[in-house]
Amino acid sequence: MNTLKGLCASKGIGIGTAYVYVKPFITIENNIITNDQKETEINIFNNAIKKSSDEINNLISISKLDDQKHVLTAHLEILNDIALIDETINKINNDNFPSDRAFKETVDSFIAMFENIDDEYLKARGEDLKDVYVRAICNIKNIPFTDSLDTLEKDTIIISKDLTPSDTIKMDVDNVCALVSELGSKTSHTSIIANNLGIAALVGANDVCKHVKTSDVVIVDGFNGNIIINPDDETLSSYIKKRDEYLQHLKDLEKVKDLPATTLCGETLSVCANAGSVDECVKAFEQNASGIGLFRTEFIYMHSNHFPTEEEQFEIYKDVAKSSNGKYVKIRTLDIGGDKELPYYEFDEEENPFLGLRGIRLCLKLKDIFKVQLRAILRASAFGTIQIMLPMVISVNEILDTKKLIDEVKFDLDKENISYDKNIKVGIMIETPASVLNADELAKNSDFFSIGTNDLTQYILAVDRGNSNIANLYDTFHSAVLKSIKIVIDSAKKNNISCGMCGEFAGNDEATKLLLGMGLKEFSVSSSKVSQVKHTIRTNKISDCANIFNEYL
Ligand code: PEP
Ligand code: MG
């Protein structure tokens, strides 16, 4: 028995037989070509891109999972990226490189560029490029691109150096119980797909391909990162028990889906979902979320090449409203600035962007652009229960200034005979120390609070939420953050307004009972966590949880 470690990328326990998946071995020589070979090499390259695109298109058409389709569509875009193609052809033309070498050197320089960017998302796009590279280079060199994961024995554990989305696309998923790879990150597409399939996955498992052989019996623990090779009988039977308990737990969660979030003491709470697109709202309501506790609108702006027009926004908010079937949706007004930029708007250089012109501050500066959004939201409010939520508030004036703009928009809509919800609720996110300390004054001017613990934690603790050097200090369980949360919940109660939480903490397994005891009534979490939170609520009494808060002080 031997135990290795990996990073947990998807929860679960897999017990099965290892299949060590080895990819084609590709060598690229450092040779150069003569001038009259250039045209042939360019043709080889162009044909390989075309063949690879056709193969990916074919995979898109047979793929059963939406996430896989998205990944493959992203692959198609990367493969046909004009910069990638031009740069490769330049290397053939100017450096006399053969097509394989030209393509490899271009891809290497692009990957290095992605890896130097301190952003998990872009790093993961570098992983996509590596994936696309293998397919295309096989086609350039006329090496068969292996698809050997399409027929597998029952309970197979796939061990690989770098398991890419293309590998998983044709995978015989019904027979796979876990994935382990030496490379990859927690946010890579493979992790996302493993999560969707509901199987355990570990990434960053150093040298796993060296230590595990095909046919070894392996246990993969997606909770603590252990990979146990050829376990003894005792370990094996204790893991079989753990796995079966976890599978039972998942079955229990399934049953909870259609039941209300009612505690054992009889109080029914709201378990909402966070969303950033119409698709995500649909997913949330499939999970029976009580509403959308946070609809992030910044993605609409970030995925556009211009400030989205009123009509463009209206169509989206209307679809969101319609998807909700009468349940409420809190649309958060544009929360940009900080680390979120727009390709078509030049932000001033700021020393401390997270303390700079972001959230409501920027909107109140760009009033015309803000009014376009408010008008689109108000118009959509005729199609469902929409509420307006303001981010990054620090003072009553910001609420009053926004309400003044809302009144101006309402006045125009009335004049134009356009319908909207005249009693639309306007609430705020509590994300700053100022909003905690002035919660009472803010409550008197708000219809609801929603605690944004992602930002609140960074501002209370003065710990940048994206800085990996101090990631160990970023802790929402810190007593100062918990005391802040308690002040806000109590203030909302005293002022008779509702209080939810839409930061990640609301979906943290270990925090649910604590928050229940602190008096939180609305949890807004990612769709995949709705049942889990509901399950915890349904199996507890609020009074039994009341003391947990004191244990953290
Ligand atoms: C938060 O800060 O908790 C929040 C929900 O907003 P975002 O993560 O979008 O900043
Ligand atoms: Mg925030």
Side-chain angles (χ1 to χ4, degrees):
M1 184 167 102
N2 187 5
T3 302
L4 302 175
K5 274 277 179 196
L7 291 172
C8 302
S10 176
K11 278 188 193 170
I13 290 172
I15 303 174
T17 314
Y19 175 73
V20 183
Y21 174 57
V22 193
K23 305 235 184 109
F25 184 65
I26 302 158
T27 46
I28 310 284
E29 305 285 341
N30 272 350
N31 56 335
I32 52 170
I33 53 170
T34 58
N35 285 346
D36 46 350
Q37 287 175 307
K38 286 179 184 172
E39 198 182 324
T40 314
E41 289 298 315
I42 291 172
N43 281 339
I44 290 175
F45 172 65
N46 284 334
N47 289 339
I49 296 293
K50 163 94 178 54
K51 184 161 184 248
S52 308
S53 303
D54 290 348
E55 288 169 358
I56 297 176
N57 266 322
N58 182 40
L59 289 175
I60 292 176
S61 65
I62 58 172
S63 168
K64 294 187 196 94
L65 294 173
D66 274 355
D67 278 334
Q68 285 183 333
K69 281 192 204 292
H70 289 148
V71 170
L72 289 165
T73 309
H75 280 190
L76 254 192
E77 279 168 20
I78 291 172
L79 186 64
N80 289 285
D81 183 274
I82 206 77
L84 188 73
I85 292 176
D86 283 356
E87 186 59 28
T88 306
I89 292 177
N90 281 346
K91 284 192 193 306
I92 299 174
N93 273 330
N94 303 341
D95 302 335
N96 288 54
F97 284 177
S99 50
D100 58 349
R101 185 179 174 194
F103 186 56
K104 180 174 190 313
E105 297 221 351
T106 306
V107 167
D108 283 350
S109 67
F110 276 55
I111 288 173
M113 194 174 71
F114 279 129
E115 281 174 354
N116 280 330
I117 300 172
D118 189 18
D119 180 306
E120 284 293 315
Y121 178 80
L122 290 176
K123 278 201 169 70
R125 300 298 70 75
E127 295 300 313
D128 285 338
L129 181 52
K130 286 182 197 164
D131 192 359
V132 172
Y133 165 76
V134 178
R135 179 181 295 282
I137 204 81
C138 283
N139 283 327
I140 290 174
K141 294 179 78 69
N142 221 358
I143 301 172
F145 184 73
T146 175
D147 281 322
S148 61
L149 294 177
D150 53 357
T151 43
L152 298 167
E153 298 290 318
K154 191 164 169 34
D155 289 333
T156 297
I157 293 183
I158 297 177
I159 308 283
S160 72
K161 196 153 203 72
D162 185 15
L163 198 61
T164 63
S166 293
D167 299 323
T168 59
I169 221 87
K170 276 197 163 181
M171 193 167 70
D172 181 7
V173 285
D174 294 340
N175 287 325
V176 178
C177 64
L179 307 175
V180 181
S181 67
E182 292 188 3
L183 304 175
S185 70
K186 286 187 184 185
T187 52
S188 61
H189 287 303
T190 303
S191 311
I192 295 168
I193 286 167
N195 271 291
N196 272 0
L197 292 172
I199 56 173
L202 302 179
V203 294
N206 288 334
D207 290 336
V208 69
C209 295
K210 249 198 243 160
H211 291 94
V212 180
K213 293 185 303 304
T214 292
S215 302
D216 278 345
V217 173
V218 174
I219 298 172
V220 177
D221 186 333
F223 296 101
N224 66 12
N226 281 342
I227 304 148
I228 305 168
I229 308 159
N230 295 323
D232 56 36
D233 289 349
E234 200 186 325
T235 310
L236 188 60
S237 47
S238 89
Y239 262 102
I240 289 176
K241 188 162 171 268
K242 266 195 204 166
R243 179 196 60 190
D244 293 348
E245 278 167 8
Y246 181 64
L247 292 176
Q248 187 56 46
H249 171 68
L250 292 182
K251 269 198 194 143
D252 291 346
L253 288 187
E254 253 309 292
K255 283 186 225 147
V256 158
K257 204 176 109 186
D258 299 325
L259 300 173
T262 306
T263 60
L264 285 181
C265 46
E267 188 168 345
T268 300
L269 310 184
S270 300
V271 183
C272 297
N274 296 342
S277 66
V278 180
D279 277 357
E280 284 180 14
C281 290
V282 171
K283 244 191 203 164
F285 291 119
E286 277 166 11
Q287 289 304 311
N288 248 333
S290 315
I292 302 293
L294 164 64
F295 183 82
R296 290 185 164 97
T297 58
E298 61 268 22
F299 299 119
I300 301 169
Y301 289 72
M302 287 161 85
H303 294 157
S304 175
N305 58 10
H306 56 272
F307 276 109
T309 63
E310 177 185 327
E311 224 41 48
E312 286 167 339
Q313 293 190 63
F314 168 63
E315 287 302 325
I316 296 170
Y317 304 148
K318 185 175 75 176
D319 287 347
V320 167
K322 284 182 166 173
S323 75
S324 66
N325 272 326
K327 291 178 175 174
Y328 63 89
V329 179
K330 293 180 174 163
I331 298 190
R332 177 173 77 183
T333 56
L334 180 60
D335 187 13
I336 210 83
D339 60 343
K340 296 179 208 152
E341 298 191 342
L342 299 176
Y344 46 88
Y345 178 75
E346 195 154 340
F347 288 84
D348 287 342
E349 277 280 318
E350 291 183 311
E351 289 257 328
N352 294 300
F354 274 109
L355 304 180
L357 193 59
R358 60 167 298 203
I360 193 67
R361 304 167 185 183
L362 182 70
C363 286
L364 287 172
K365 189 171 174 218
L366 305 177
K367 285 202 171 73
D368 289 343
I369 283 160
F370 195 18
K371 276 175 88 170
V372 170
Q373 180 173 43
L374 293 171
R375 213 176 128 99
I377 298 175
L378 275 164
R379 282 176 59 198
S381 70
F383 298 85
T385 310
I386 291 210
Q387 306 178 359
I388 297 175
M389 180 154 82
L390 314 179
M392 282 294 297
V393 168
I394 58 165
S395 70
V396 170
N397 275 346
E398 289 162 334
I399 306 174
L400 298 180
D401 288 349
T402 305
K403 285 189 171 170
K404 192 163 162 256
L405 294 181
I406 293 175
D407 283 342
E408 286 172 22
V409 172
K410 283 181 172 176
F411 181 79
D412 290 344
L413 291 174
D414 283 337
K415 251 193 349 206
E416 294 164 51
N417 249 333
I418 297 176
S419 45
Y420 62 91
D421 176 5
K422 302 222 181 246
N423 298 312
I424 193 164
K425 288 188 173 166
V426 181
I428 62 167
M429 290 192 68
I430 300 285
E431 302 180 280
T432 60
S435 62
V436 173
L437 295 172
N438 283 349
D440 275 346
E441 289 86 331
L442 295 168
K444 293 186 175 60
N445 293 278
S446 306
D447 292 317
F448 61 84
F449 284 161
S450 183
I451 308 174
T453 48
N454 307 344
D455 274 317
L456 185 62
T457 305
Q458 79 163 341
Y459 292 128
I460 292 283
L461 300 180
V463 173
D464 180 346
R465 69 195 251 192
N467 183 339
S468 53
N469 290 333
I470 45 170
N472 59 323
L473 297 178
Y474 182 90
D475 178 18
T476 307
F477 286 101
H478 188 293
S479 55
V481 184
L482 295 182
K483 282 180 196 167
S484 306
I485 294 171
K486 186 81 175 92
I487 290 173
V488 177
I489 294 174
D490 290 347
S491 165
K493 191 169 174 204
K494 186 171 113 195
N495 290 285
N496 238 336
I497 63 168
S498 68
C499 180
M501 178 179 288
C502 60
E504 290 301 306
F505 198 58
N508 181 324
D509 281 358
E510 278 129 57
T512 314
K513 287 192 344 186
L514 164 70
L515 293 169
L516 202 56
M518 287 167 76
L520 189 74
K521 304 295 179 206
E522 180 200 276
F523 295 70
S524 192
V525 301
S526 70
S527 309
S528 60
K529 291 189 173 159
V530 168
S531 289
Q532 169 66 51
V533 173
K534 217 194 262 185
H535 176 72
T536 309
I537 290 173
R538 289 180 56 82
T539 46
N540 282 284
K541 277 189 192 162
I542 295 177
S543 57
D544 289 348
C545 302
N547 247 331
I548 304 177
F549 174 60
N550 291 321
E551 290 166 18
Y552 284 94
L553 301 184

